[in-house]
Amino acid sequence: MAFDLLISAAGAALILVALRDVFHTLWHPVGRGSLSTLVMTGVWRCCRTPGGQGRLAVAAGPAALVVVIAVWTSLIVAGWTLVYVPHLPGGFSFAPGLEPSQRAPLLDGLYLSLVTVATLGFGDIVPAEGWLRIAAPLQGLLGFALLTAAVSWVGQIYPALTRRRVLAHRLEAIRRSRGSGRLTDTTSTAMLLENLAAEVIQVRVDLSQRAETYYFHDRDGSPSLAALSSYAADLALAGQRSRAADVRTSATMLATALEELASVLEEQFLKVPGGPMEIFAAYAHDHGLDPVRA
């Protein structure tokens, strides 16, 4: 009896670990579950080639999402299997043709957990004890909730990636149009720097709340914020040297936004000491790119 309780407790612990990680990854303001972070970091390191680019690197982000969802599902299935096993076969009714005395409790528990979390409900093995008749439908609801959460997660990630890529394309357009020329002391320059600051703040918020977006590579040949963040810092520095007060103010806003972005990158991903320029260089190298400078 004590051993059965221990097995069920272990199963409940696995379920709680999975639910806690789902909550911290998807609904917590910081958006960083410890287990999901560990898994995504591992996938990122496995997919990165020595040069940092290539098909594996581009697939790192989507692969990390799939692996994390698979880990959550596996933990929930394994947890409920351990909950069911001590009560098989006595706590369940079997369909005609299934001889309970000849069944393997562990295999039946795994089968029952899989079909329940997938909300299939074949009905060949059904709970007979009172509390098990409540537990099994709860697992079905949990499986449905997990599927919904996974779809919602994907829906939250891609708008953040779009905002990041738009900022990268805008910085690249500025770089190409400006060339090596200096910033003009005009109101339009001040507005340009202020808009860039607002976009950098949005990307920083996205990265704080959706940390998994860090592990998504931009396509080869496409502008990347990992490479162009150093260029944005050069723009801010050039603007702070302007003779126009409004340009200096906007440039300071951009510099502050970039410092906050660098802080998030350093604290959550890179662990590299130094100022924003050193952190942005490490950001580019971690994505297999060279930093772009003005």
Side-chain angles (χ1 to χ4, degrees):
M1 184 64 177
F3 184 67
D4 290 347
L5 288 175
L6 185 62
I7 293 176
S8 296
L14 289 178
I15 296 167
L16 290 176
V17 167
L19 292 179
R20 180 185 183 277
D21 201 70
V22 170
F23 172 78
H24 279 274
T25 301
L26 301 184
W27 297 300
H28 194 276
V30 176
R32 283 180 66 84
S34 55
L35 180 60
S36 61
T37 298
L38 180 64
V39 171
M40 285 188 286
T41 302
V43 172
W44 173 253
R45 290 174 179 172
C46 291
C47 289
R48 287 181 64 223
T49 58
Q53 292 290 328
R55 293 183 178 180
L56 280 179
V58 173
L65 295 187
V66 172
V67 174
V68 168
I69 294 170
V71 168
W72 288 341
T73 305
S74 299
L75 285 175
I76 291 174
V77 168
W80 283 97
T81 298
L82 294 178
V83 170
Y84 294 143
V85 163
H87 307 280
L88 282 163
F92 292 82
S93 297
F94 291 78
L98 297 178
E99 180 55 49
S101 61
Q102 299 177 359
R103 309 294 298 178
L106 182 59
L107 186 59
D108 280 342
L110 178 59
Y111 163 77
L112 182 61
S113 183
L114 282 170
V115 298
T116 304
V117 81
T119 65
L120 295 176
F122 292 136
D124 50 350
I125 304 177
V126 295
E129 293 183 7
W131 74 273
L132 287 172
R133 297 179 68 183
I134 301 298
L138 285 178
Q139 187 190 8
L141 289 174
L142 190 59
F144 180 77
L146 183 60
L147 174 62
T148 305
V151 174
S152 173
W153 192 21
V154 174
Q156 292 171 1
I157 288 172
Y158 282 93
L161 290 175
T162 299
R163 288 188 287 268
R164 189 183 76 186
R165 288 165 180 164
V166 167
L167 174 58
H169 278 275
R170 189 172 188 187
L171 286 170
E172 178 64 12
I174 293 171
R175 186 182 72 85
R176 292 189 177 186
S177 62
R178 177 172 172 253
S180 58
R182 62 185 296 274
L183 289 176
T184 57
D185 299 327
T186 61
T187 302
S188 61
T189 298
M191 293 179 60
L192 173 66
L193 296 176
E194 185 175 342
N195 289 336
L196 285 176
E199 291 183 46
V200 171
I201 291 171
Q202 179 65 72
V203 168
R204 190 261 300 168
V205 172
D206 288 337
L207 194 59
S208 297
Q209 295 182 346
R210 299 265 66 91
E212 55 274 8
T213 57
Y214 177 86
Y215 305 106
F216 280 75
H217 260 288
D218 294 307
R219 294 188 302 272
D220 291 343
S222 178
S224 172
L225 185 62
L228 288 164
S229 52
S230 295
Y231 176 74
D234 286 335
L235 280 181
L237 182 61
Q240 288 175 311
R241 295 171 179 166
S242 172
R243 292 187 297 251
D246 55 347
V247 173
R248 292 197 304 272
T249 299
S250 297
T252 301
M253 292 173 59
L254 176 58
T256 301
L258 289 167
E259 288 173 3
E260 293 175 351
L261 175 62
S263 178
V264 171
L265 290 168
E266 190 277 329
E267 291 176 2
Q268 297 190 12
F269 307 101
L270 298 172
K271 312 298 181 184
V272 175
M277 281 301 188
E278 290 78 14
I279 294 170
F280 290 147
Y283 181 28
H285 291 314
D286 198 38
H287 282 251
L289 302 167
D290 293 322
V292 175
R293 301 298 302 270

